[in-house]
Amino acid sequence: MNAIQARIEALRQYTAPLTAPDDLEAFWARACREADASAAYSAIQPAASPFRQAQAFKVVYAGAADTPVHAWFLLPPDSLQQPAPCVVVFHGYSLSKGLPEEHAAWLLMGYAVLAVDVRGQGGDTGNGLPLEHGTAKGWITQGILDPERSYFRAIAIDALRAVRCAMAMPDVDPARVFAFGGSQGGGLALLAAALAPGLRAAIAHVPNMCHMDLGILQSVGSISEAADFATRFPGRLHDVLRTLSYFDIVNLADRIALPVHVTVGLKDTTCLPETIFAAYNRTASPDKSIEVHPFMGHAMPPGYYAAAHAFYSRLAR
């Protein structure tokens, strides 16, 4: 066995201790009820795009804390299957839903797309979550002392409502809605896989929100904002870790029963291999797979559109 094989085998055996608080079930029962309480969407209107056949719409749906969440809804050409399967796309940290043409590959493969903003970051969507304490740079430390008022809870509810929105879209087959994302988007895809009723499958590339107690210690990514916060307020580290534990995919992985595909880069210093394997190894789904790239850092793997189509298409029949 060479060093690469040994590293991968060690990761396949890696087990992180659960950090779930005692009220985890009650917490998510309340959050899921809240996610189900709003209309699927509040506005949909045609949007300008360079597409000659595919259709583009701008959609707004109600997020947590009365925040309107903006999204693109895109339909494939009429010659492809209708009603269409739909991919809900969650973007990486600080980015946005992008432009309609950035999702053209999905349309050419016959998928509708709902590409959503994550609140407050680089897109059209603001953030109505009250700010009740100072924060570190970025967004994730907003409300980090109280899970019920945290940024993580708000984006989780937004993600669950995105899946509901996709299922209600015209010309979409609600039984064939998939989650997709990388980094932050991968974490949200896994969270949706754990909590969104009716979701068919999920793909999570180099996902964050996994084994966050290790991430806060070693990651150079967005979770380092929580480390900065704890450095400024060292007496609140316990509260920070407690809040993170509600949203840690390690603690939710036993709820993931649907097909899921995950990728990991062994040179990733943002979403560390240990964090991703910790969540993957606890994932309950009998239909799960992990794609290991020994020399990849924090990136989307080569050929990810074709690989996603191969994964989703066997489930979309």
Side-chain angles (χ1 to χ4, degrees):
M1 181 181 294
N2 61 41
I4 299 167
Q5 293 168 326
R7 171 78 165 130
I8 294 171
E9 182 59 28
L11 288 166
R12 290 189 179 279
Q13 302 303 317
Y14 182 75
T15 303
L18 296 174
T19 58
D22 292 340
D23 66 338
L24 182 72
E25 295 293 328
F27 174 87
W28 281 113
R30 290 191 300 274
C32 289
R33 283 196 299 271
E34 181 176 333
D36 287 341
S38 71
Y41 57 92
S42 58
I44 179 170
Q45 59 185 17
S49 80
F51 300 140
R52 298 184 64 180
Q53 294 182 319
Q55 300 177 68
F57 301 87
K58 192 163 190 178
V59 172
V60 178
Y61 68 90
D66 297 319
T67 299
V69 177
H70 294 257
W72 296 122
F73 174 57
L74 311 172
L75 279 171
D78 291 339
S79 59
L80 301 176
Q81 57 180 322
Q82 298 289 351
C86 184
V87 180
V88 181
V89 178
F90 300 108
H91 63 76
Y93 195 63
S94 82
L95 302 177
S96 76
K97 64 187 178 299
L99 298 172
E101 57 266 31
E102 294 172 24
H103 306 285
W106 294 115
L107 305 179
L108 292 172
M109 294 186 294
Y111 299 91
V113 173
L114 187 75
V116 301
D117 278 341
V118 177
R119 63 174 56 223
Q121 296 184 21
D124 298 318
T125 301
N127 182 13
L129 192 67
L131 184 62
E132 299 176 351
H133 191 283
T135 65
K137 63 182 180 181
W139 297 274
I140 70 162
T141 59
Q142 184 179 3
I144 202 166
L145 299 178
D146 181 353
E148 295 283 358
R149 294 173 171 82
S150 69
Y151 183 80
F152 279 112
R153 183 181 185 275
I155 65 172
I157 288 174
D158 295 348
L160 296 178
R161 288 183 177 174
V163 174
R164 288 182 63 234
C165 179
M167 291 177 175
M169 284 289 104
D171 298 314
V172 163
D173 182 350
R176 297 185 294 164
V177 172
F178 307 99
F180 179 91
S183 193
Q184 170 185 256
L188 291 173
L190 290 177
L191 185 141
L195 298 167
L199 188 68
R200 185 67 183 92
I203 293 176
H205 292 294
V206 292
N208 74 359
M209 297 173 64
C210 299
H211 198 359
M212 290 199 278
D213 53 328
L214 179 62
I216 195 174
L217 187 64
Q218 296 185 4
S219 170
V220 300
S222 60
I223 195 69
S224 66
E225 295 170 15
D228 290 345
F229 183 95
T231 299
R232 297 183 192 189
F233 305 100
R236 308 306 298 271
L237 176 60
H238 172 78
D239 297 320
V240 169
L241 291 174
R242 179 175 180 272
T243 294
L244 293 178
S245 70
Y246 286 88
F247 308 97
D248 196 324
I249 303 301
V250 169
N251 295 329
L252 298 172
D254 63 340
R255 294 169 171 253
I256 300 176
L258 50 74
V260 63
H261 181 70
V262 178
T263 66
V264 58
L266 297 190
K267 292 193 172 186
D268 194 340
T269 57
T270 297
C271 295
L272 306 167
E274 286 82 2
T275 66
I276 294 171
F277 268 95
Y280 177 80
N281 290 343
R282 286 192 177 273
T283 296
S285 173
D287 188 356
K288 66 178 183 178
S289 55
I290 189 163
E291 181 182 329
V292 182
H293 294 265
F295 309 111
M296 189 176 80
H298 193 62
M300 300 290 277
Y304 65 87
Y305 280 118
H309 177 56
F311 180 71
Y312 291 148
S313 63
R314 70 178 175 87
L315 304 167
R317 299 185 180 92

